[in-house]
PDB file of all heavy atoms in Angstrom:
ATOM      1  N   THR P 557     -29.595  35.486   7.644  1.00  0.00           N
ATOM      2  CA  THR P 557     -28.340  34.848   8.017  1.00  0.00           C
ATOM      3  C   THR P 557     -27.535  34.311   6.755  1.00  0.00           C
ATOM      4  O   THR P 557     -28.193  33.966   5.717  1.00  0.00           O
ATOM      5  CB  THR P 557     -28.446  33.710   8.995  1.00  0.00           C
ATOM      6  OG1 THR P 557     -29.261  32.675   8.472  1.00  0.00           O
ATOM      7  CG2 THR P 557     -29.070  34.214  10.321  1.00  0.00           C
ATOM      8  N   THR P 558     -26.180  34.295   6.766  1.00  0.00           N
ATOM      9  CA  THR P 558     -25.497  33.746   5.728  1.00  0.00           C
ATOM     10  C   THR P 558     -24.540  32.624   6.172  1.00  0.00           C
ATOM     11  O   THR P 558     -24.237  32.420   7.190  1.00  0.00           O
ATOM     12  CB  THR P 558     -24.498  34.884   5.116  1.00  0.00           C
ATOM     13  OG1 THR P 558     -23.518  35.151   6.162  1.00  0.00           O
ATOM     14  CG2 THR P 558     -25.358  36.081   4.820  1.00  0.00           C
ATOM     15  N   GLU P 559     -24.040  31.772   5.082  1.00  0.00           N
ATOM     16  CA  GLU P 559     -22.918  30.830   5.329  1.00  0.00           C
ATOM     17  C   GLU P 559     -21.743  31.640   5.616  1.00  0.00           C
ATOM     18  O   GLU P 559     -21.302  32.600   4.889  1.00  0.00           O
ATOM     19  CB  GLU P 559     -22.771  30.014   4.064  1.00  0.00           C
ATOM     20  CG  GLU P 559     -23.772  29.139   3.805  1.00  0.00           C
ATOM     21  CD  GLU P 559     -23.789  27.828   4.513  1.00  0.00           C
ATOM     22  OE1 GLU P 559     -22.715  27.509   5.254  1.00  0.00           O
ATOM     23  OE2 GLU P 559     -24.888  27.038   4.583  1.00  0.00           O
ATOM     24  N   GLY P 560     -21.173  31.408   6.763  1.00  0.00           N
ATOM     25  CA  GLY P 560     -19.953  32.120   7.160  1.00  0.00           C
ATOM     26  C   GLY P 560     -20.216  32.922   8.443  1.00  0.00           C
ATOM     27  O   GLY P 560     -19.323  33.525   9.043  1.00  0.00           O
ATOM     28  N   GLY P 561     -21.517  32.973   8.864  1.00  0.00           N
ATOM     29  CA  GLY P 561     -21.742  33.655  10.169  1.00  0.00           C
ATOM     30  C   GLY P 561     -22.363  35.021  10.094  1.00  0.00           C
ATOM     31  O   GLY P 561     -22.662  35.629  11.306  1.00  0.00           O
ATOM     32  N   GLY P 562     -22.600  35.634   8.894  1.00  0.00           N
ATOM     33  CA  GLY P 562     -23.183  37.038   8.900  1.00  0.00           C
ATOM     34  C   GLY P 562     -24.674  36.921   9.296  1.00  0.00           C
ATOM     35  O   GLY P 562     -25.377  36.014   8.847  1.00  0.00           O
ATOM     36  N   SER P 563     -25.081  37.984   9.840  1.00  0.00           N
ATOM     37  CA  SER P 563     -26.613  38.012  10.252  1.00  0.00           C
ATOM     38  C   SER P 563     -27.034  39.473  10.476  1.00  0.00           C
ATOM     39  O   SER P 563     -26.130  40.427  10.801  1.00  0.00           O
ATOM     40  CB  SER P 563     -26.863  37.208  11.465  1.00  0.00           C
ATOM     41  OG  SER P 563     -26.348  37.833  12.600  1.00  0.00           O
ATOM     42  N   VAL P 564     -28.251  39.811  10.142  1.00  0.00           N
ATOM     43  CA  VAL P 564     -28.863  41.093  10.369  1.00  0.00           C
ATOM     44  C   VAL P 564     -30.303  40.943  10.646  1.00  0.00           C
ATOM     45  O   VAL P 564     -31.016  40.141  10.196  1.00  0.00           O
ATOM     46  CB  VAL P 564     -28.598  42.025   9.162  1.00  0.00           C
ATOM     47  CG1 VAL P 564     -29.398  41.413   7.957  1.00  0.00           C
ATOM     48  CG2 VAL P 564     -29.117  43.435   9.464  1.00  0.00           C
ATOM     49  N   VAL P 565     -30.853  41.800  11.612  1.00  0.00           N
ATOM     50  CA  VAL P 565     -32.301  41.801  11.933  1.00  0.00           C
ATOM     51  C   VAL P 565     -32.922  43.089  11.459  1.00  0.00           C
ATOM     52  O   VAL P 565     -32.475  44.205  11.710  1.00  0.00           O
ATOM     53  CB  VAL P 565     -32.529  41.518  13.430  1.00  0.00           C
ATOM     54  CG1 VAL P 565     -34.003  41.633  13.770  1.00  0.00           C
ATOM     55  CG2 VAL P 565     -31.980  40.145  13.867  1.00  0.00           C
ATOM     56  N   ILE P 566     -33.996  42.919  10.788  1.00  0.00           N
ATOM     57  CA  ILE P 566     -34.656  44.141  10.184  1.00  0.00           C
ATOM     58  C   ILE P 566     -36.096  44.277  10.791  1.00  0.00           C
ATOM     59  O   ILE P 566     -36.759  43.189  10.862  1.00  0.00           O
ATOM     60  CB  ILE P 566     -34.734  44.116   8.685  1.00  0.00           C
ATOM     61  CG1 ILE P 566     -33.298  44.035   8.098  1.00  0.00           C
ATOM     62  CG2 ILE P 566     -35.493  45.359   8.074  1.00  0.00           C
ATOM     63  CD1 ILE P 566     -33.343  43.748   6.537  1.00  0.00           C
ATOM     64  N   GLU P 567     -36.517  45.449  11.212  1.00  0.00           N
ATOM     65  CA  GLU P 567     -37.845  45.616  11.821  1.00  0.00           C
ATOM     66  C   GLU P 567     -38.935  45.839  10.739  1.00  0.00           C
ATOM     67  O   GLU P 567     -38.641  46.643   9.792  1.00  0.00           O
ATOM     68  CB  GLU P 567     -37.856  46.768  12.796  1.00  0.00           C
ATOM     69  CG  GLU P 567     -37.266  46.392  14.301  1.00  0.00           C
ATOM     70  CD  GLU P 567     -37.554  47.323  15.218  1.00  0.00           C
ATOM     71  OE1 GLU P 567     -38.228  48.337  14.915  1.00  0.00           O
ATOM     72  OE2 GLU P 567     -37.183  47.107  16.390  1.00  0.00           O
ATOM     73  N   LEU P 568     -40.084  45.244  10.938  1.00  0.00           N
ATOM     74  CA  LEU P 568     -41.236  45.468  10.024  1.00  0.00           C
ATOM     75  C   LEU P 568     -42.461  45.895  10.865  1.00  0.00           C
ATOM     76  O   LEU P 568     -42.778  45.195  11.838  1.00  0.00           O
ATOM     77  CB  LEU P 568     -41.493  44.125   9.188  1.00  0.00           C
ATOM     78  CG  LEU P 568     -40.375  43.642   8.335  1.00  0.00           C
ATOM     79  CD1 LEU P 568     -40.731  42.305   7.775  1.00  0.00           C
ATOM     80  CD2 LEU P 568     -40.090  44.564   7.257  1.00  0.00           C
ATOM     81  N   THR P 569     -43.119  46.976  10.427  1.00  0.00           N
ATOM     82  CA  THR P 569     -44.272  47.410  11.342  1.00  0.00           C
ATOM     83  C   THR P 569     -45.547  47.349  10.561  1.00  0.00           C
ATOM     84  O   THR P 569     -45.579  47.808   9.380  1.00  0.00           O
ATOM     85  CB  THR P 569     -43.946  48.962  11.732  1.00  0.00           C
ATOM     86  OG1 THR P 569     -42.740  48.940  12.484  1.00  0.00           O
ATOM     87  CG2 THR P 569     -45.100  49.406  12.631  1.00  0.00           C
TER      88      THR P 569
END
Side-chain angles (χ1 to χ4, degrees):
T557 59
T558 69
E559 290 283 346
S563 67
V564 63
V565 176
I566 301 171
E567 285 193 352
L568 302 173
T569 302

